[in-house]
Amino acid sequence: MAENTVVQRAAQETKIVKIDELQSNQYNPNRFSGGKDGQMMGMLKNCILKYGFLFPILVTWDEKLKKYRIIDGFHRYEALRLLGATEASVIDLQIPYHDAVQLTVLMNRIKGFHQVELMSDLVLKLEDLGLQDSEICENLGMETEEYLRLKQQLGIAHAFRNHEYSNAWEAEEK
Amino acid sequence: MKKIIEGKNVLEAARERVSMLFDNFKDINVSISSGKDSVVCYHLFLQEAIKRNRKIVAFFQDQEAEYQSSIDLMKIMMKHPNVIPVWYQVPIYLTNATSYTDYFLYAWGEGEKWIREKDPQAIHEIKEDYPKRFYEFFKWYEKKNTDMAYIIGLRAEEGIIRYRAVTKNPGWNGLRWSTLDGDVKKFYPIYDWSVTDVWKFIYDYNIPYNRVYDLMYMDNHSIYSSMRVSNLIHEKSYKCLVDLPKYEPDTYDKLCKRLGGIATASRYASEKLVFSNKTLPKHYKTWEEFRDFLLTNIPEEGHRNKFRERFGGQDKEERTYQSQVGQLLINDYENSRSYNTKKQEQIQREKEKWQKIL
């Protein structure tokens, strides 16, 4: 069973440091998905402004650099800088380099995925709750195409109901 | 050369073809994979069968590693009173493109833990000797009844190889949308349909289709290039493993338990490295070097020699080495993604020629 010290770590150890004391790591293979960096960063900034900075950045103190090396939360750190923040909340894990590298990967990998069908239901639910199409798109970072496809639950065949059959053709000698 | 038939659309033309086949053949076999094209073929023939109070054979070789949605659809299609179901759930070896250790899935193998139960409508056992590989099994099945018309839902639009297959050589009775394979007569009655025709027909007749298409559509797949439903693990289809957890998480979990390599493929199959030979990994200077590395590291000797032998007779040049790497990365044991430079260039030329005509 998880001890209280384990469960309460974030609550007990989060502290505020100067943002200039943070340093990115050079090894993280994670990045925001293809070509959408700008959009994702925008969503992240909006999210921080609306709900606050909810998850402390995981760091470990690097004696050589004299800085906190980021383990997880590089994009959140970037967002804070772009928002002009001078401080950040962090947890200093004080773990060796090889553990830090592995924890970075774990934080990237341990996450779920959205089942398409349920995502579609969720979009309809938001609409029932009275949100406008454009709001939902903007809030969830969806382009119109994605939103429409999720929203239409009549299936792919329905999308072709107005199509007219093509002309038949036959192959013949050249 | 493609000649438009004025005043006749693809549906009208297909109905004439179907009717002609019913006039000329007592036994009609429609191969159904649960993919959209075979579903269209099935219903074109079923509608005619009902009209004539006849039956059609529906043939499906179940490879165990299939979408659950495919099986759900199959149950419905096999149950129709005008259909004689030939749904094989018998032991067969499938190439597993995803793993260096589990080369094959022994689908429906005796004593193995299958990902789902066998269906009561299906054939569970064959009492005679039969080939336990996919294509050979097909041929074996077809040879059993050469009076039959074998219907296949290939469409020319899907690519140059299929275009050639369905139009090149005249088959039965000189028909260009038929091919003869010895005594076996094959027909492609929807060869001239486009993908939009397929969906229009499915919509018009309110035909039940594979649920996976809806999920792919919602998930922003292009209707032209990437909506393909087939078995989940072979060398031409394993990329679907990237999306499988989003579409059918239960099927994905079961497949992971059944077979090695699934989770890795799910994570990396759409990348330019790992399973793909698009980019040479930076630690290698040439494709030849990378190929040799992969070849020496195939754990099983018989398997290694099989590839060695195949590559021995091929051109000694980087492009060939690159394609050999492609085969090694996806364990293309059956040489189905073979690459012969000269042949490839010829296909490319033909393709360009057809693109001008089409």
Side-chain angles (χ1 to χ4, degrees), chain A residues 98-148:
Chain A
H98 65 274
D99 276 339
V101 172
Q102 293 178 88
L103 183 55
T104 298
V105 176
L106 284 180
M107 291 316 241
N108 294 340
R109 277 169 80 119
I110 303 174
K111 65 177 176 199
F113 52 85
H114 285 165
Q115 294 175 49
V116 172
E117 194 162 17
L118 299 183
M119 190 63 194
S120 165
D121 292 343
L122 182 148
V123 161
L124 292 183
K125 183 183 224 127
L126 285 175
E127 206 179 31
D128 282 348
L129 291 171
L131 273 74
Q132 298 296 311
D133 289 359
S134 54
E135 274 180 295
I136 298 173
C137 281
E138 200 185 322
N139 295 347
L140 301 186
M142 288 178 179
E143 50 184 24
T144 320
E145 171 82 354
E146 179 183 1
Y147 178 71
L148 288 177

Side-chain angles (χ1 to χ4, degrees), chain B residues 6-47:
Chain B
E6 291 301 333
K8 196 182 286 178
N9 69 32
V10 287
L11 179 56
E12 292 158 346
R15 290 216 188 278
E16 285 176 11
R17 293 167 199 150
V18 169
S19 174
M20 186 278 290
L21 288 171
F22 269 94
D23 290 343
N24 284 281
F25 288 88
K26 202 165 114 304
D27 299 321
I28 289 174
N29 178 97
V30 184
S31 290
I32 52 176
S33 66
S34 88
K36 60 191 185 313
D37 302 337
S38 69
V39 165
V40 165
C41 268
Y42 165 94
H43 281 276
L44 283 169
F45 283 85
L46 180 62
Q47 289 172 3

